[in-house]
């Protein structure tokens, strides 16, 4: 069953600004879907409609089969969300904030206390549990936002740029937690600007621009679509000229450059299978390959091409 | 992370959520010191009125005894035949039955003089004008408990306005402006419930404030006069209703405002300036503005005179005076409250939270 289903969703501001344009999308249970798009694409507007912060102009959004606009209490009963840059009540402590939200969501006080303690420690906020949230940094608030989103073990997590405001280590920690949640059966729908993050953590990707859905595929399908532009090869040994000329003649190679004596930058057209073949041919040609890296990510390439094309 | 996976949840009931939000709202006012601020205003105002402002307007203490020499003039009007001279008393609020008149130190029989209370003068059958007789009056005076309470309650609209401005006017728009709506709204809770919870929380602050004010009036009245206005509890009932009307107005303003500053200013101006000005203009034009909430709110003061309720008077200029009908005013205030609650809830429910 689809945990999240968007049907022909449209949102128009004023008379002429169409933020979401006939968007249809679904998310299956137990998957993690990355929601990508440039600034102003309609990602946050879509998330706000899903989380009852806005009403659609037309179309519907269903969470666990319940229309959010018609019955937000039922629709959001098993949903945890982080929307935009999170702000909290500065006069409440972290524990008090979680207690308030836990009660609204139907948790008992003892369950909320135990779960709060576990999650605050996990997210590195254990020592600040009884500090007023008004004293928290932006990164700490982002962590607390994630804590409150998963506090009640919701079936669906809706996250708007979950690693925003975190340092690199924090980003890595959050990604690991999100992967762990997905493995434990949570369904996650998250928007992000960070393509490596989406490619590493998500099962599927939905790309939008100008409010319209441009692509919705699994990460594997996207990877197989991509033809890398350049491949960076680091060598363990300086190659001779003979070997280099053989590389230029390999199928798919458009040009070969040597930025240094132990590096090759190969212009290439081909999918993942063809790249695998190229690597074997380079080794067969006598090159001592230390590393073999397609330049840029599959997702990045597809994203840039699609978004550019939609403009 | 030890996690056994997602769980299906059943949120608490709407009623329980209203109480939860109300409690949260009250905590906000207490920790933000707004609650303390309102209470301080009430206490300081009560003390100022009791200690300085009201005694100044009454020309002295609220109760006591007084001796004064009377200035005597000839009395030649037909209103009271048989009386030849008149003496004018300075003090108001003379307690009936306590007036004594002496002439050259000897008490004059009460058959020889007549006290006209509503005009503070004494008529004498004997003509004391031009004589060397020293005519003296001694009496007890006391502001009536109704007057005492009424003098304080003249300031109740100010207190109510402060309460609903401080605790109510920015209650809804504040969530949007501070973006805490992004935390609270994506939860299994209806917007109508959030509205009602904030109404209950803000109303609690106002109830404590005006309750404290009325308690102060009762206490001070007992200390100064030995008694309390008979219908003070009736007045309190109207005050509570007036508070609800003003608060629902503040929340309705908050639900449509674009910013907290605008909401605060508009609420303050509506209650302390705009409605009173419309009322004054209507009265000057000879129209009874019974449908205005501030006019209906005047029942807070006039209900003290329940036994001898004032009647509308008509005359040129400021001689026209209208008094709110108690039953009709209760209906007006209740209707405003219900209408504004419905309007506020509908607007708030439909409002897009775009930042």
């Amino acid at each position: 069953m689809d945990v999240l289903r968007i049907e022909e969703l449209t949102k128009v501001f004023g008379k002429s600004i169409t933020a979401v344009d006939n968007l249809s999308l679904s998310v299956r249970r137990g998957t993690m879907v990355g929601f990508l798009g440039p600034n102003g694409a309609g990602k946050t507007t879509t998330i706000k409609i899903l989380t009852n912060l806005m009403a659609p102009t037309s179309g519907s959004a269903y969470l666990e089969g319940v229309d959010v606009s018609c019955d937000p209490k039922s629709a959001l009963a098993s949903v945890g969300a982080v929307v935009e840059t999170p702000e909290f009540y500065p006069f409440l402590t972290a524990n008090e904030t979680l207690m308030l939200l836990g009660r609204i969501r139907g948790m008992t006080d003892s369950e909320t206390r135990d779960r709060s303690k576990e999650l605050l420690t996990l997210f590195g906020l254990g020592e600040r549990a009884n500090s007023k949230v008004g004293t928290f940094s932006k990164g700490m608030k982002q962590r607390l936002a994630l804590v409150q989103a998963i506090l009640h073990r919701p079936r669906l997590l809706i996250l708007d740029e979950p690693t925003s405001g975190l340092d690199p280590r924090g980003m890595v920690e959050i990604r690991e937690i999100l992967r762990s949640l997905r493995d434990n059966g949570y369904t996650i729908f998250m928007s992000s600007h960070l393509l490596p993050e989406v490619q590493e953590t998500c099962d599927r990707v939905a790309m939008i621009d100008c409010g319209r859905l441009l692509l919705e595929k699994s990460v594997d399908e996207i990877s197989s679509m991509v033809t890398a532009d350049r491949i960076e090869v680091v060598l363990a040994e300086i190659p001779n000229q003979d070997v280099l000329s053989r590389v230029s003649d390999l199928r798919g190679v458009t040009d070969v450059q040597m930025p240094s004596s132990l590096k090759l930058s190969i212009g290439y057209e081909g999918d993942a299978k063809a790249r695998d073949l190229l690597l074997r041919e380079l080794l067969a040609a006598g090159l001592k390959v230390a590393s073999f890296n397609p330049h840029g990510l599959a997702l990045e390439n597809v994203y840039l091409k699609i978004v550019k094309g939609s403009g | 992370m030890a996690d056994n996976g997602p769980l299906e949840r059943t949120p608490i009931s709407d009623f329980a959520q209203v109480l939860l939000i109300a409690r949260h709202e009250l905590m906000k006012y207490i920790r933000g010191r707004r609650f303390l601020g309102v209470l301080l205003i009430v206490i300081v105002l009560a003390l100022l009125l009791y200690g300085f402002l009201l005694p100044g307007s009454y020309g002295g203490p609220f109760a006591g005894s007084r001796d004064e020499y009377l200035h005597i003039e000839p009395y030649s009007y037909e209103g009271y035949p048989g009386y030849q001279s008149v003496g004018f008393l300075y003090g108001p609020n003379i307690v009936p039955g306590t007036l004594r008149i002496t002439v050259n130190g000897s008490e004059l029989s009460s058959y020889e003089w007549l006290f006209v209370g509503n005009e503070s003068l004494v008529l004498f059958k004997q003509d004391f004008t031009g004589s060397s007789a020293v005519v003296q009056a001694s009496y007890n005076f006391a502001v009536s408990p109704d007057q005492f309470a009424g003098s304080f309650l003249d300031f109740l609209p100010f207190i109510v306005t402060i309460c609903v401005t401080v605790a109510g006017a920015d209650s809804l728009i504040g969530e949007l402006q501070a973006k805490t709506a992004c935390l609270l709204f994506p939860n299994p809770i209806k917007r109508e419930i959030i509205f009602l919870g904030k109404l209950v929380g803000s109303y609690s602050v106002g109830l404590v404030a005006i309750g404290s004010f009325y308690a102060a009036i009762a206490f001070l009245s007992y200390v100064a006069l030995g008694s309390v206005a008979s219908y003070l509890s009736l007045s309190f009932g109207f005050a509570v209703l007036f508070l609800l009307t003003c608060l629902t107005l503040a929340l309705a303003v908050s639900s449509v405002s674009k910013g907290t500053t605008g909401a605060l200013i508009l609420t303050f101006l509506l209650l302390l300036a705009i409605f009173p000005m419309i009322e004054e203009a209507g009265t000057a034009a000879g129209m009874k503005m019974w449908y205005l909430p501030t006019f209906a709110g005047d029942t807070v003061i006039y209900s003290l005179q329940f036994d001898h309720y004032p009647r509308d008077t008509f005359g040129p200029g400021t001689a026209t005076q209208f008094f709110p009908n108690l039953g009709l005013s209760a209906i007006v205030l209740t209707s405003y409250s219900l209408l504004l609650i419905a309007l506020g809830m509908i607007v708030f429910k439909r409002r897009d939270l775009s930042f």
Side-chain angles (χ1 to χ4, degrees):
Chain A
M1 180 193 169
D2 293 334
V3 176
L4 184 157
R5 194 171 82 250
I6 299 171
E7 289 180 356
E8 298 173 1
L9 198 69
T10 298
K11 178 67 181 177
V12 180
F13 292 106
K15 289 182 182 171
S16 57
I17 301 175
T18 303
V20 181
D21 189 358
N22 204 36
L23 179 69
S24 292
L25 182 61
S26 60
V27 176
R28 296 187 68 81
R29 194 178 300 284
T31 58
M32 190 156 160
V33 175
F35 195 40
L36 293 176
N39 290 337
K43 303 187 300 296
T44 299
T45 302
T46 304
I47 286 178
K48 284 184 176 177
I49 294 171
L50 289 171
T51 52
N52 193 33
L53 286 164
M54 270 186 198
T57 305
S58 64
S60 303
Y62 298 89
L63 303 176
E64 296 278 15
V66 180
D67 190 326
V68 176
S69 301
C70 295
D71 188 2
K73 187 172 180 180
S74 300
L76 293 169
S78 292
V79 172
V82 175
V83 183
E84 284 205 345
T85 308
E87 284 301 336
F88 294 84
Y89 300 103
F91 59 92
L92 293 179
T93 65
N95 272 335
E96 287 170 340
T97 301
L98 297 174
M99 189 61 73
L100 169 67
L101 295 171
R103 283 174 178 158
I104 289 174
R105 296 165 186 174
M107 297 173 73
T108 62
D109 285 359
S110 59
E111 187 188 0
T112 306
R113 266 192 292 273
D114 292 342
R115 184 86 172 142
S116 298
K117 189 176 175 183
E118 178 199 342
L119 291 177
L120 288 172
T121 304
L122 177 70
F123 281 80
L125 296 173
E127 289 182 4
R128 303 298 300 271
N130 292 315
S131 301
K132 293 227 171 97
V133 182
T135 63
F136 281 23
S137 67
K138 185 181 173 187
M140 291 165 73
K141 287 182 185 175
Q142 186 70 29
R143 289 168 186 266
L144 184 60
L146 290 162
V147 167
Q148 66 81 26
I150 64 175
L151 176 72
H152 55 307
R153 293 165 60 186
R155 289 180 160 187
L156 171 65
L157 279 170
I158 299 175
L159 308 175
D160 190 10
E161 301 194 27
T163 58
S164 166
L166 297 177
D167 58 27
R169 185 169 134 181
M171 288 184 180
V172 168
E173 289 173 0
I174 297 304
R175 283 177 209 158
E176 280 174 18
I177 292 170
L178 291 178
R179 271 196 290 267
S180 164
L181 288 170
R182 187 214 34 210
D183 296 342
N184 271 323
Y186 288 80
T187 307
I188 302 172
F189 180 73
M190 72 174 211
S191 75
S192 179
H193 280 128
L194 301 175
L195 301 177
E197 177 175 278
V198 171
Q199 182 151 346
E200 276 179 48
T201 55
C202 295
D203 304 310
R204 297 188 69 81
V205 170
M207 289 188 198
I208 73 167
D209 193 16
C210 301
R212 285 189 292 271
L213 183 69
L214 304 178
L215 174 144
E216 201 260 315
K217 287 185 185 303
S218 70
V219 171
D220 289 341
E221 285 171 328
I222 288 175
S223 295
S224 65
M225 280 167 62
V226 163
T227 59
D229 289 333
R230 295 205 77 80
I231 297 173
E232 309 297 326
V233 180
V234 176
L235 302 169
E237 216 175 75
I238 297 173
N240 63 42
Q241 206 53 43
D242 218 19
V243 172
L244 280 177
S245 61
R246 268 190 269 162
V247 171
S248 300
D249 294 334
L250 292 174
R251 189 169 34 193
V253 172
T254 56
D255 68 283
V256 180
Q257 295 170 19
M258 270 197 95
S260 70
S261 55
L262 288 175
K263 272 189 185 172
L264 291 178
S265 178
I266 302 173
Y268 188 74
E269 284 179 5
D271 61 13
K273 277 188 183 167
R275 286 199 297 279
D276 177 56
L277 186 60
L278 173 66
L279 176 58
R280 289 174 205 278
E281 286 177 339
L282 288 175
L283 292 169
L287 283 175
K288 305 287 185 215
V289 176
S291 73
F292 179 88
N293 284 317
H295 192 280
L297 302 162
L299 188 57
E300 186 177 81
N301 285 314
V302 171
Y303 175 85
L304 289 170
K305 280 182 185 165
I306 286 183
V307 166
K308 186 179 172 184
S310 79
Chain B
M1 178 173 69
D3 192 308
N4 297 325
L7 280 181
E8 189 168 338
R9 295 278 177 190
T10 304
I12 56 174
S13 68
D14 287 349
F15 179 72
Q17 287 181 335
V18 168
L19 296 181
L20 194 57
I21 298 296
R23 186 178 147 185
H24 166 78
E25 196 72 4
L26 196 54
M27 198 189 300
K28 178 178 86 176
Y29 294 133
I30 291 171
R31 290 196 181 175
R33 299 197 174 92
R34 289 191 189 191
F35 186 66
L36 182 64
V38 166
L39 279 184
L40 272 175
I41 288 173
V42 168
I43 292 167
V44 166
L45 182 63
L47 291 175
L48 267 178
L49 285 170
Y50 182 75
F52 298 102
L53 299 175
L54 292 183
S57 72
Y58 284 129
F62 298 109
S65 59
R66 186 179 285 127
D67 295 325
E68 57 178 290
Y69 293 99
L70 298 186
H71 170 71
I72 307 295
E73 287 183 4
Y75 179 74
S76 57
Y77 297 105
E78 294 176 2
Y80 295 93
Y83 293 91
Q84 299 187 61
S85 58
V86 57
F88 299 92
L89 289 166
Y90 165 75
N93 304 316
I94 294 170
V95 177
T98 66
L99 181 61
R100 298 282 179 270
I101 304 292
T102 60
V103 179
N104 295 327
S106 301
E107 185 166 341
L108 193 64
S109 165
S110 57
Y111 294 108
E112 298 293 322
W113 54 270
L114 176 71
F115 173 54
V116 183
N118 59 340
E119 295 186 30
S120 288
L121 49 83
V122 180
L123 299 174
F124 297 98
K125 287 184 178 173
Q126 202 173 338
D127 186 359
F128 289 109
T129 55
S131 74
S132 58
V134 175
V135 183
Q136 195 172 355
S138 59
Y139 53 86
N140 292 342
F141 67 91
V143 171
S144 73
D146 290 353
Q147 273 178 302
F148 183 88
S151 301
F152 281 80
L153 292 175
D154 277 337
F155 292 86
L156 189 83
F158 173 71
I159 291 176
V160 167
T161 303
I162 294 292
C163 286
V164 303
T165 302
V166 163
D170 66 346
S171 182
L172 299 174
I173 186 60
E175 294 277 0
L176 277 67
Q177 198 157 302
K179 293 195 180 181
T180 47
C182 287
L183 176 71
L184 181 62
F185 288 39
N187 275 290
I189 183 168
K190 299 172 196 166
R191 294 223 195 151
E192 305 92 294
I193 299 302
I194 295 173
F195 182 97
L196 288 174
K198 286 179 175 290
L199 173 63
V200 172
S202 300
Y203 194 51
S204 308
V205 171
L207 275 181
V208 171
I210 63 169
S212 303
F213 194 56
Y214 271 80
I217 292 171
F219 174 73
L220 294 171
S221 180
Y222 192 78
V223 164
L225 307 173
S227 62
V228 176
S230 307
Y231 291 100
L232 194 63
S233 51
L234 178 63
S235 171
F236 180 69
F238 278 103
V240 158
L241 191 50
F242 180 58
L243 171 68
L244 180 63
T245 305
C246 293
L247 180 60
T248 53
L249 175 68
L251 284 175
V253 167
S254 189
S255 68
V256 300
S257 293
K258 290 200 184 299
T260 54
T261 306
L264 291 168
I265 292 172
L266 182 57
T267 300
F268 196 83
L269 286 178
L270 272 171
L271 293 171
L272 279 189
I274 296 172
F275 282 133
M277 275 164 45
I278 296 172
E279 191 182 317
E280 284 293 320
T283 302
M287 292 190 294
K288 187 169 181 176
M289 312 296 274
W290 56 268
Y291 44 82
L292 285 181
T294 45
F295 181 78
D298 287 342
T299 46
V300 162
I301 299 168
Y302 298 118
S303 57
L304 293 170
Q305 304 169 48
F306 183 78
D307 282 338
H308 43 281
Y309 202 78
R311 292 180 176 218
D312 298 343
T313 56
F314 297 87
T318 55
T320 297
Q321 268 193 303
F322 293 120
F323 298 94
N325 176 279
L326 292 182
L328 180 61
S329 295
I331 292 171
V332 166
L333 292 173
T334 305
S335 301
Y336 266 109
S337 299
L338 294 174
L339 191 68
L340 288 167
I341 286 173
L343 184 69
M345 277 170 61
I346 289 169
V347 170
F348 189 57
K349 185 178 175 179
R350 291 183 175 200
R351 186 157 179 177
D352 274 350
L353 302 182
S354 52
F355 310 110

